[in-house]
Amino acid sequence: MRRRAEVLTVVFFFVIVVSLFPLGVGPEIETLRLIAPGVIWVAALLASMLSLDRLFSADYVDGTLEQMLIAAQPLSVLVLSKILAHWVVSGLPLVLVSPVLGMQLGMDVESIGVLVVSLAIGTPVLSLIGAVGAGLTLGVRGGGVLLSLLVLPLYIPVLIFGAGAVEAVQSGMEYGAHVSLLAAFLITALLLAPWGAATALKISLD
Amino acid sequence: MRRRAEVLTVVFFFVIVVSLFPLGVGPEIETLRLIAPGVIWVAALLASMLSLDRLFSADYVDGTLEQMLIAAQPLSVLVLSKILAHWVVSGLPLVLVSPVLGMQLGMDVESIGVLVVSLAIGTPVLSLIGAVGAGLTLGVRGGGVLLSLLVLPLYIPVLIFGAGAVEAVQSGMEYGAHVSLLAAFLITALLLAPWGAATALKISLD
Amino acid sequence: MRILSKSFWLQVSAPKAFYPVAGKLIPWFTAIAIILTLVGLYMGFFVAPTDFQQGESYRIIFIHVPAAWMSMLIYVLMACYAAIGLIWNTRLSSMMATALAPTGAMFTFIALWTGAFWGKPTWGAYWVWDARLTSELILLFLYFGFISLQAAIDDPQRASRASALLALVGLVNVPIIYFSVKWWNTLHQGSSLNLDKGSSMEATMLWAMLIMTFAFWAYTIVAALLRVRAVILERERHSEWVGELLGVGK
Amino acid sequence: MLEAADLQCVRGDRVLFDHVSFSVQSGELLHVRGANGSGKTTMLRMVCGLVSPSSGEIRWRGQSARGLGDEFHKELLYLGHQAGIKAELTALENLKFSSAVGGHALDTQTAVAALRQMGLKGREDLPSKVLSQGQQRRVALARLLVSKAPLWILDEPFTALDVKAVAMLQDVLAEHVVGGGIALITTHQDFTLNRGALRALQLGA
Amino acid sequence: MLEAADLQCVRGDRVLFDHVSFSVQSGELLHVRGANGSGKTTMLRMVCGLVSPSSGEIRWRGQSARGLGDEFHKELLYLGHQAGIKAELTALENLKFSSAVGGHALDTQTAVAALRQMGLKGREDLPSKVLSQGQQRRVALARLLVSKAPLWILDEPFTALDVKAVAMLQDVLAEHVVGGGIALITTHQDFTLNRGALRALQLGA
Ligand code: HEM
Ligand SMILES: Nc1ncnc2c1ncn2[C@@H]1O[C@H](COP(=O)(O)OP(=O)(O)OP(=O)(O)O)[C@@H](O)[C@H]1O
Ligand SMILES: Nc1ncnc2c1ncn2[C@@H]1O[C@H](COP(=O)(O)OP(=O)(O)OP(=O)(O)O)[C@@H](O)[C@H]1O
Ligand SMILES: [Mg+2]
Ligand SMILES: [Mg+2]
């Protein structure tokens, strides 16, 4: 029930961000199509960030995090489940609505397909990387923005390849390379991020 | 001192966020110029939202808010000062760096001027509106999200006229109307929001 | 052969012991830095021939390239120190990481700035959103992140451990910078120094670049040592030896 | 001086308390007693005006407290379960901030003196989040030493305090009462006042 | 069974405690005493492995606790100053959630039974933020009734509890200890154990 509300907001957020650009760009469908992948991908980054600082902070304040650290199951598993939850509310919705947004911005079917794939592979990476940042900035002055300062630069490669894949297919080029690089990111992140985030949490609670 | 660090971080944040778009959209300067207003205004919306749920929640949890309610000076004054503080860290930095960002995105001098003006008038409105939402959703189940659900729709007009003004001057049209409408928003918000937020707080603490 | 013994390093790597050692090293490296810089600049600006297509503007390369190299190298070095500090929590290595960050940021900025300056004549634009340029910009942000995270945490122990983790995560960016010219068709020109098929550029140019690089190296060492001494005093201010050093009777 | 007339509080679907009336004169301390959940905190917050009674009213110097508004708040000092300590501020900053919010600014040496008296010497400039529970509590209680408000309302002031601190707080309370002040407090520890008039109000069955 | 060997803790630039050693056998309760800020909480968190000692080590059944890792955590129940109660969850949800995090899921009737025993009958489905301080504390303590961990580490378990609750908690502790368990607790209230061996460790001068 609470989840559904959250997902709703995120979707809502996307629609706003994406519909803000025709405003600036004007209705020329040509330009719209041109910028569509970038816009949608940036929206993905921002959405992921918006919810990031709420990833651990509540548990930190009310002491649940301590309990997780001394729980019988390994911390990284608990962290991974939290990351998953974060993706479900921040990433997944975008993957689902992206076809609509794509059409709204006049993308053709094939590019939309690639867009969805790239988002499906890319957005989990965002949540994974973000978790590490969230762990590091826990209980730190000026947390939220510092967090984004740390995380956004690391998001950029994902953005480049994600948007790159779609632009490639739009300009009739080969996009496999981009997608497989994204996949590589995902695997690396899956292996390292939970451990990294767990370490970060241990550090911030010591 | 701490404030200054915070503002600096926010400035970095904006620079990064705005740097994201060229990465996603591609380096063609004329496209960038077209989307620039949308981009920068989205950044404004984000910065405001990112810090909104932290506007009262900390004071709520640690009991400072109770103290404010029973303080000798009227609540709305205290609230207004908090709103001001929020704007200083979320809005003002953007107003200050927006010329740089504008150049980065290849805007001409006149549009940059309008951009700065629209931001200077528009961002305080965001903080003011946001405060009411923050007050209402205080300590509510799934707060942060509900907050954005309440606030985003109210932000939209500001964004439309703010970005609209810049886009108007870019396409050589009349922009005075947009700006004066923004000003009207600001005045109304200044008159109503502090009182509204104060009432909201009283309600959520009873 | 004391140099090779482990105990020797353990001794030296104690801040108390390292502080005077650093003090002794500084003047030497300062001298080296100054001399190499002068030689390098002379070779770069007077000995090296004028480029037939770019004219004189290409001479920026003698600042730009070494700076760019250092920006990446220092980051790697910083990350290594930080990692050592994180794993074996040796105080000194964390301090070294802290001391290196600002210099790295500076060289990154120089690379960006000279590059942008160079871009105008060659590409007709100060800035293009090209993969290499962007990744270098990210490197700058990573340095900023490292510095501001450390500034934001009160407890120095926690601060260095947290920022160490950040430095390690950010390490992924370095290969991206280096190989960007290979991976994307960038405006930026590719590596002209490769180990397999020698170098494609004039010998004097190459030498000038290498000498400048070593000059920057020496400068980095000086700056790092100076800063690390300050950091040591700041963090160990309550230990007796610092007390004696500053003549504050405990 | 402070009167509660026939207060009733309804929470959700249960009547928390009903027909509660009392009046406290200056020089008296009212100890509100009762089991967990009997409504002590709610009662105190009601007196402060943070909770509005479903019936009955609070009178201060004969006038309705709600009507007096800030007039009443000026004379009131309330410390709840939540001490209102900000983790990232130092002890000193916290004390200054809280009394600034309360309405009167403090100069540094007064604040430092108060903190010292609360046994926080040498801790003034540590961020509060590294302070121990009891020390944070002491930072909050330091406000009592610098306050001129005649009406003190303290919810569980003794929690997390060690024996010495408890004793000194009891003295501070006695001083305040003997000096013509009024205090409403709750505590589960048995509590005696070595000077001044101690009265008790029992809530709940 | 639980041994601490020559523990030292440095916080910021001050040595909080040094050369602290103790060993607790099953059937014993160790009451860690000391003034505010003497390092009790830090000590307990150190035993849990939340704070790493600057020197010395913790041993459990003869092996290093850090080495044992989750093996040790399985046998450990820690309740800190922060009860880990989520304001928006109900009492029941909280109990289930916290013990799920702890590692073993609870079925509803066990949980409800535990809450009833803690005197929260009829409050099971209220969101915890409307519960009184003491009631929230009780929700947290309900975990003791459903836990099978031999090692209990409780930081100020008696705060905010009324007299009845304190008595019943003391019984629960006695039961646990007599049943071969171990408990480390801190409290500023004077504390007696009606059965089982009570030992004390004094921190700070
Ligand atoms: C802000 C803009 C620029 C940035 C951030 C930048 C960054 C870099 C970096 C990081 C390197 C070292 C990487 C390596 O060793 O392969 C490098 C090398 C180099 N850059 Fe740039 N650069 C910029 C602009 C330029 C421009 C405008 C030119 C001239 C057209 C240029 C020419 C070179 C050359 C010749 C090298 C040496 C390549 C080699 O020999 O390995 N750069 N630059
Ligand atoms: N919405 C609600 N529905 C039902 N009961 C409620 C609701 N809100 C509050 N309550 C009850 O009101 C009481 C609040 O009591 P209060 O916090 O004043 O207790 P207290 O006397 O301060 O207890 P303690 O000694 O634990 O601090 C609790 O028993 C709580 O269960
Ligand atoms: N960074 C730091 N610099 C200086 N002192 C510190 C720092 N961090 C913690 N301390 C001190 O360490 C102590 C922490 O003590 P701890 O919380 O364990 O006390 P405690 O015995 O639990 O006290 P209480 O009875 O109030 O709960 C405090 O005295 C605090 O001032
Ligand atoms: Mg209460
Ligand atoms: Mg404690």
Side-chain angles (χ1 to χ4, degrees), chain A residues 13-29:
Chain A
F13 172 75
F14 290 135
V15 176
I16 289 177
V17 171
V18 173
S19 44
L20 262 179
F21 289 93
L23 233 148
V25 180
E28 308 84 19
I29 202 68

mmCIF file with all atom_site columns, all heavy atoms in Angstrom, chain A residues 13-29:
data_model
loop_
_atom_site.group_PDB
_atom_site.id
_atom_site.type_symbol
_atom_site.label_atom_id
_atom_site.label_alt_id
_atom_site.label_comp_id
_atom_site.label_asym_id
_atom_site.label_entity_id
_atom_site.label_seq_id
_atom_site.pdbx_PDB_ins_code
_atom_site.Cartn_x
_atom_site.Cartn_y
_atom_site.Cartn_z
_atom_site.occupancy
_atom_site.B_iso_or_equiv
_atom_site.pdbx_formal_charge
_atom_site.auth_seq_id
_atom_site.auth_comp_id
_atom_site.auth_asym_id
_atom_site.auth_atom_id
_atom_site.pdbx_PDB_model_num
ATOM 1   N N   . PHE A 1 13 ? 6.634  12.080 -11.063 1.00 0.00 ? 13 PHE A N   1
ATOM 2   C CA  . PHE A 1 13 ? 7.849  12.874 -11.201 1.00 0.00 ? 13 PHE A CA  1
ATOM 3   C C   . PHE A 1 13 ? 8.396  12.784 -12.621 1.00 0.00 ? 13 PHE A C   1
ATOM 4   O O   . PHE A 1 13 ? 8.678  13.794 -13.262 1.00 0.00 ? 13 PHE A O   1
ATOM 5   C CB  . PHE A 1 13 ? 8.877  12.378 -10.178 1.00 0.00 ? 13 PHE A CB  1
ATOM 6   C CG  . PHE A 1 13 ? 10.234 12.991 -10.339 1.00 0.00 ? 13 PHE A CG  1
ATOM 7   C CD1 . PHE A 1 13 ? 10.479 14.288 -9.948  1.00 0.00 ? 13 PHE A CD1 1
ATOM 8   C CD2 . PHE A 1 13 ? 11.269 12.257 -10.886 1.00 0.00 ? 13 PHE A CD2 1
ATOM 9   C CE1 . PHE A 1 13 ? 11.720 14.850 -10.098 1.00 0.00 ? 13 PHE A CE1 1
ATOM 10  C CE2 . PHE A 1 13 ? 12.521 12.810 -11.038 1.00 0.00 ? 13 PHE A CE2 1
ATOM 11  C CZ  . PHE A 1 13 ? 12.747 14.111 -10.643 1.00 0.00 ? 13 PHE A CZ  1
ATOM 12  N N   . PHE A 1 14 ? 8.475  11.548 -13.137 1.00 0.00 ? 14 PHE A N   1
ATOM 13  C CA  . PHE A 1 14 ? 8.983  11.372 -14.505 1.00 0.00 ? 14 PHE A CA  1
ATOM 14  C C   . PHE A 1 14 ? 8.159  12.180 -15.479 1.00 0.00 ? 14 PHE A C   1
ATOM 15  O O   . PHE A 1 14 ? 8.672  12.930 -16.293 1.00 0.00 ? 14 PHE A O   1
ATOM 16  C CB  . PHE A 1 14 ? 8.912  9.911  -14.922 1.00 0.00 ? 14 PHE A CB  1
ATOM 17  C CG  . PHE A 1 14 ? 9.886  9.060  -14.210 1.00 0.00 ? 14 PHE A CG  1
ATOM 18  C CD1 . PHE A 1 14 ? 9.512  7.848  -13.696 1.00 0.00 ? 14 PHE A CD1 1
ATOM 19  C CD2 . PHE A 1 14 ? 11.179 9.485  -14.032 1.00 0.00 ? 14 PHE A CD2 1
ATOM 20  C CE1 . PHE A 1 14 ? 10.410 7.068  -13.024 1.00 0.00 ? 14 PHE A CE1 1
ATOM 21  C CE2 . PHE A 1 14 ? 12.083 8.719  -13.368 1.00 0.00 ? 14 PHE A CE2 1
ATOM 22  C CZ  . PHE A 1 14 ? 11.703 7.501  -12.860 1.00 0.00 ? 14 PHE A CZ  1
ATOM 23  N N   . VAL A 1 15 ? 6.840  12.006 -15.385 1.00 0.00 ? 15 VAL A N   1
ATOM 24  C CA  . VAL A 1 15 ? 5.965  12.668 -16.352 1.00 0.00 ? 15 VAL A CA  1
ATOM 25  C C   . VAL A 1 15 ? 6.261  14.165 -16.342 1.00 0.00 ? 15 VAL A C   1
ATOM 26  O O   . VAL A 1 15 ? 6.439  14.784 -17.389 1.00 0.00 ? 15 VAL A O   1
ATOM 27  C CB  . VAL A 1 15 ? 4.492  12.383 -16.018 1.00 0.00 ? 15 VAL A CB  1
ATOM 28  C CG1 . VAL A 1 15 ? 3.592  13.154 -16.969 1.00 0.00 ? 15 VAL A CG1 1
ATOM 29  C CG2 . VAL A 1 15 ? 4.231  10.895 -16.094 1.00 0.00 ? 15 VAL A CG2 1
ATOM 30  N N   . ILE A 1 16 ? 6.393  14.727 -15.152 1.00 0.00 ? 16 ILE A N   1
ATOM 31  C CA  . ILE A 1 16 ? 6.664  16.167 -15.077 1.00 0.00 ? 16 ILE A CA  1
ATOM 32  C C   . ILE A 1 16 ? 7.989  16.494 -15.752 1.00 0.00 ? 16 ILE A C   1
ATOM 33  O O   . ILE A 1 16 ? 8.063  17.301 -16.679 1.00 0.00 ? 16 ILE A O   1
ATOM 34  C CB  . ILE A 1 16 ? 6.708  16.626 -13.609 1.00 0.00 ? 16 ILE A CB  1
ATOM 35  C CG1 . ILE A 1 16 ? 5.308  16.600 -13.019 1.00 0.00 ? 16 ILE A CG1 1
ATOM 36  C CG2 . ILE A 1 16 ? 7.290  18.024 -13.509 1.00 0.00 ? 16 ILE A CG2 1
ATOM 37  C CD1 . ILE A 1 16 ? 5.268  16.967 -11.572 1.00 0.00 ? 16 ILE A CD1 1
ATOM 38  N N   . VAL A 1 17 ? 9.058  15.811 -15.295 1.00 0.00 ? 17 VAL A N   1
ATOM 39  C CA  . VAL A 1 17 ? 10.374 16.119 -15.854 1.00 0.00 ? 17 VAL A CA  1
ATOM 40  C C   . VAL A 1 17 ? 10.325 16.031 -17.371 1.00 0.00 ? 17 VAL A C   1
ATOM 41  O O   . VAL A 1 17 ? 10.731 16.943 -18.083 1.00 0.00 ? 17 VAL A O   1
ATOM 42  C CB  . VAL A 1 17 ? 11.431 15.153 -15.293 1.00 0.00 ? 17 VAL A CB  1
ATOM 43  C CG1 . VAL A 1 17 ? 12.736 15.322 -16.042 1.00 0.00 ? 17 VAL A CG1 1
ATOM 44  C CG2 . VAL A 1 17 ? 11.627 15.388 -13.812 1.00 0.00 ? 17 VAL A CG2 1
ATOM 45  N N   . VAL A 1 18 ? 9.783  14.923 -17.864 1.00 0.00 ? 18 VAL A N   1
ATOM 46  C CA  . VAL A 1 18 ? 9.819  14.712 -19.313 1.00 0.00 ? 18 VAL A CA  1
ATOM 47  C C   . VAL A 1 18 ? 8.958  15.742 -20.032 1.00 0.00 ? 18 VAL A C   1
ATOM 48  O O   . VAL A 1 18 ? 9.330  16.247 -21.086 1.00 0.00 ? 18 VAL A O   1
ATOM 49  C CB  . VAL A 1 18 ? 9.350  13.280 -19.648 1.00 0.00 ? 18 VAL A CB  1
ATOM 50  C CG1 . VAL A 1 18 ? 9.221  13.123 -21.137 1.00 0.00 ? 18 VAL A CG1 1
ATOM 51  C CG2 . VAL A 1 18 ? 10.334 12.284 -19.078 1.00 0.00 ? 18 VAL A CG2 1
ATOM 52  N N   . SER A 1 19 ? 7.822  16.110 -19.424 1.00 0.00 ? 19 SER A N   1
ATOM 53  C CA  . SER A 1 19 ? 6.947  17.041 -20.144 1.00 0.00 ? 19 SER A CA  1
ATOM 54  C C   . SER A 1 19 ? 7.462  18.474 -20.017 1.00 0.00 ? 19 SER A C   1
ATOM 55  O O   . SER A 1 19 ? 6.971  19.365 -20.687 1.00 0.00 ? 19 SER A O   1
ATOM 56  C CB  . SER A 1 19 ? 5.523  16.941 -19.599 1.00 0.00 ? 19 SER A CB  1
ATOM 57  O OG  . SER A 1 19 ? 5.556  16.898 -18.190 1.00 0.00 ? 19 SER A OG  1
ATOM 58  N N   . LEU A 1 20 ? 8.485  18.668 -19.178 1.00 0.00 ? 20 LEU A N   1
ATOM 59  C CA  . LEU A 1 20 ? 9.044  20.023 -19.072 1.00 0.00 ? 20 LEU A CA  1
ATOM 60  C C   . LEU A 1 20 ? 9.853  20.383 -20.303 1.00 0.00 ? 20 LEU A C   1
ATOM 61  O O   . LEU A 1 20 ? 10.014 21.544 -20.637 1.00 0.00 ? 20 LEU A O   1
ATOM 62  C CB  . LEU A 1 20 ? 9.954  20.116 -17.847 1.00 0.00 ? 20 LEU A CB  1
ATOM 63  C CG  . LEU A 1 20 ? 9.315  20.724 -16.616 1.00 0.00 ? 20 LEU A CG  1
ATOM 64  C CD1 . LEU A 1 20 ? 10.294 20.747 -15.477 1.00 0.00 ? 20 LEU A CD1 1
ATOM 65  C CD2 . LEU A 1 20 ? 8.808  22.110 -16.912 1.00 0.00 ? 20 LEU A CD2 1
ATOM 66  N N   . PHE A 1 21 ? 10.340 19.381 -21.021 1.00 0.00 ? 21 PHE A N   1
ATOM 67  C CA  . PHE A 1 21 ? 11.269 19.700 -22.106 1.00 0.00 ? 21 PHE A CA  1
ATOM 68  C C   . PHE A 1 21 ? 10.585 20.188 -23.352 1.00 0.00 ? 21 PHE A C   1
ATOM 69  O O   . PHE A 1 21 ? 11.011 21.170 -23.935 1.00 0.00 ? 21 PHE A O   1
ATOM 70  C CB  . PHE A 1 21 ? 12.169 18.514 -22.374 1.00 0.00 ? 21 PHE A CB  1
ATOM 71  C CG  . PHE A 1 21 ? 13.108 18.362 -21.250 1.00 0.00 ? 21 PHE A CG  1
ATOM 72  C CD1 . PHE A 1 21 ? 12.829 17.527 -20.187 1.00 0.00 ? 21 PHE A CD1 1
ATOM 73  C CD2 . PHE A 1 21 ? 14.228 19.152 -21.185 1.00 0.00 ? 21 PHE A CD2 1
ATOM 74  C CE1 . PHE A 1 21 ? 13.665 17.453 -19.113 1.00 0.00 ? 21 PHE A CE1 1
ATOM 75  C CE2 . PHE A 1 21 ? 15.076 19.086 -20.113 1.00 0.00 ? 21 PHE A CE2 1
ATOM 76  C CZ  . PHE A 1 21 ? 14.802 18.228 -19.072 1.00 0.00 ? 21 PHE A CZ  1
ATOM 77  N N   . PRO A 1 22 ? 9.474  19.562 -23.766 1.00 0.00 ? 22 PRO A N   1
ATOM 78  C CA  . PRO A 1 22 ? 8.763  20.129 -24.918 1.00 0.00 ? 22 PRO A CA  1
ATOM 79  C C   . PRO A 1 22 ? 8.538  21.616 -24.685 1.00 0.00 ? 22 PRO A C   1
ATOM 80  O O   . PRO A 1 22 ? 8.620  22.426 -25.602 1.00 0.00 ? 22 PRO A O   1
ATOM 81  C CB  . PRO A 1 22 ? 7.447  19.367 -24.912 1.00 0.00 ? 22 PRO A CB  1
ATOM 82  C CG  . PRO A 1 22 ? 7.770  18.071 -24.288 1.00 0.00 ? 22 PRO A CG  1
ATOM 83  C CD  . PRO A 1 22 ? 8.837  18.344 -23.275 1.00 0.00 ? 22 PRO A CD  1
ATOM 84  N N   . LEU A 1 23 ? 8.342  21.985 -23.431 1.00 0.00 ? 23 LEU A N   1
ATOM 85  C CA  . LEU A 1 23 ? 8.161  23.387 -23.069 1.00 0.00 ? 23 LEU A CA  1
ATOM 86  C C   . LEU A 1 23 ? 9.310  24.234 -23.583 1.00 0.00 ? 23 LEU A C   1
ATOM 87  O O   . LEU A 1 23 ? 9.140  25.219 -24.289 1.00 0.00 ? 23 LEU A O   1
ATOM 88  C CB  . LEU A 1 23 ? 8.130  23.474 -21.546 1.00 0.00 ? 23 LEU A CB  1
ATOM 89  C CG  . LEU A 1 23 ? 6.935  24.187 -20.960 1.00 0.00 ? 23 LEU A CG  1
ATOM 90  C CD1 . LEU A 1 23 ? 6.595  23.588 -19.627 1.00 0.00 ? 23 LEU A CD1 1
ATOM 91  C CD2 . LEU A 1 23 ? 7.255  25.640 -20.845 1.00 0.00 ? 23 LEU A CD2 1
ATOM 92  N N   . GLY A 1 24 ? 10.537 23.795 -23.232 1.00 0.00 ? 24 GLY A N   1
ATOM 93  C CA  . GLY A 1 24 ? 11.695 24.564 -23.669 1.00 0.00 ? 24 GLY A CA  1
ATOM 94  C C   . GLY A 1 24 ? 11.931 24.410 -25.157 1.00 0.00 ? 24 GLY A C   1
ATOM 95  O O   . GLY A 1 24 ? 12.239 25.370 -25.847 1.00 0.00 ? 24 GLY A O   1
ATOM 96  N N   . VAL A 1 25 ? 11.773 23.185 -25.606 1.00 0.00 ? 25 VAL A N   1
ATOM 97  C CA  . VAL A 1 25 ? 12.192 22.877 -26.968 1.00 0.00 ? 25 VAL A CA  1
ATOM 98  C C   . VAL A 1 25 ? 11.137 23.311 -27.970 1.00 0.00 ? 25 VAL A C   1
ATOM 99  O O   . VAL A 1 25 ? 11.443 23.551 -29.135 1.00 0.00 ? 25 VAL A O   1
ATOM 100 C CB  . VAL A 1 25 ? 12.442 21.356 -27.098 1.00 0.00 ? 25 VAL A CB  1
ATOM 101 C CG1 . VAL A 1 25 ? 12.885 21.022 -28.499 1.00 0.00 ? 25 VAL A CG1 1
ATOM 102 C CG2 . VAL A 1 25 ? 13.485 20.943 -26.097 1.00 0.00 ? 25 VAL A CG2 1
ATOM 103 N N   . GLY A 1 26 ? 9.906  23.404 -27.514 1.00 0.00 ? 26 GLY A N   1
ATOM 104 C CA  . GLY A 1 26 ? 8.841  23.656 -28.477 1.00 0.00 ? 26 GLY A CA  1
ATOM 105 C C   . GLY A 1 26 ? 8.460  22.340 -29.132 1.00 0.00 ? 26 GLY A C   1
ATOM 106 O O   . GLY A 1 26 ? 9.130  21.320 -28.941 1.00 0.00 ? 26 GLY A O   1
ATOM 107 N N   . PRO A 1 27 ? 7.393  22.351 -29.883 1.00 0.00 ? 27 PRO A N   1
ATOM 108 C CA  . PRO A 1 27 ? 6.786  21.107 -30.346 1.00 0.00 ? 27 PRO A CA  1
ATOM 109 C C   . PRO A 1 27 ? 7.533  20.397 -31.477 1.00 0.00 ? 27 PRO A C   1
ATOM 110 O O   . PRO A 1 27 ? 7.087  19.344 -31.902 1.00 0.00 ? 27 PRO A O   1
ATOM 111 C CB  . PRO A 1 27 ? 5.397  21.558 -30.824 1.00 0.00 ? 27 PRO A CB  1
ATOM 112 C CG  . PRO A 1 27 ? 5.628  22.966 -31.267 1.00 0.00 ? 27 PRO A CG  1
ATOM 113 C CD  . PRO A 1 27 ? 6.642  23.536 -30.331 1.00 0.00 ? 27 PRO A CD  1
ATOM 114 N N   . GLU A 1 28 ? 8.668  20.960 -31.964 1.00 0.00 ? 28 GLU A N   1
ATOM 115 C CA  . GLU A 1 28 ? 9.281  20.284 -33.123 1.00 0.00 ? 28 GLU A CA  1
ATOM 116 C C   . GLU A 1 28 ? 9.628  18.853 -32.755 1.00 0.00 ? 28 GLU A C   1
ATOM 117 O O   . GLU A 1 28 ? 10.549 18.603 -31.985 1.00 0.00 ? 28 GLU A O   1
ATOM 118 C CB  . GLU A 1 28 ? 10.548 21.006 -33.597 1.00 0.00 ? 28 GLU A CB  1
ATOM 119 C CG  . GLU A 1 28 ? 10.356 22.491 -33.855 1.00 0.00 ? 28 GLU A CG  1
ATOM 120 C CD  . GLU A 1 28 ? 10.488 23.293 -32.565 1.00 0.00 ? 28 GLU A CD  1
ATOM 121 O OE1 . GLU A 1 28 ? 11.069 22.752 -31.597 1.00 0.00 ? 28 GLU A OE1 1
ATOM 122 O OE2 . GLU A 1 28 ? 9.989  24.430 -32.510 1.00 0.00 ? 28 GLU A OE2 1
ATOM 123 N N   . ILE A 1 29 ? 8.908  17.899 -33.347 1.00 0.00 ? 29 ILE A N   1
ATOM 124 C CA  . ILE A 1 29 ? 9.082  16.493 -32.993 1.00 0.00 ? 29 ILE A CA  1
ATOM 125 C C   . ILE A 1 29 ? 10.510 16.038 -33.278 1.00 0.00 ? 29 ILE A C   1
ATOM 126 O O   . ILE A 1 29 ? 11.064 15.203 -32.581 1.00 0.00 ? 29 ILE A O   1
ATOM 127 C CB  . ILE A 1 29 ? 8.057  15.624 -33.778 1.00 0.00 ? 29 ILE A CB  1
ATOM 128 C CG1 . ILE A 1 29 ? 7.850  14.306 -33.032 1.00 0.00 ? 29 ILE A CG1 1
ATOM 129 C CG2 . ILE A 1 29 ? 8.491  15.403 -35.214 1.00 0.00 ? 29 ILE A CG2 1
ATOM 130 C CD1 . ILE A 1 29 ? 7.123  14.510 -31.696 1.00 0.00 ? 29 ILE A CD1 1
#
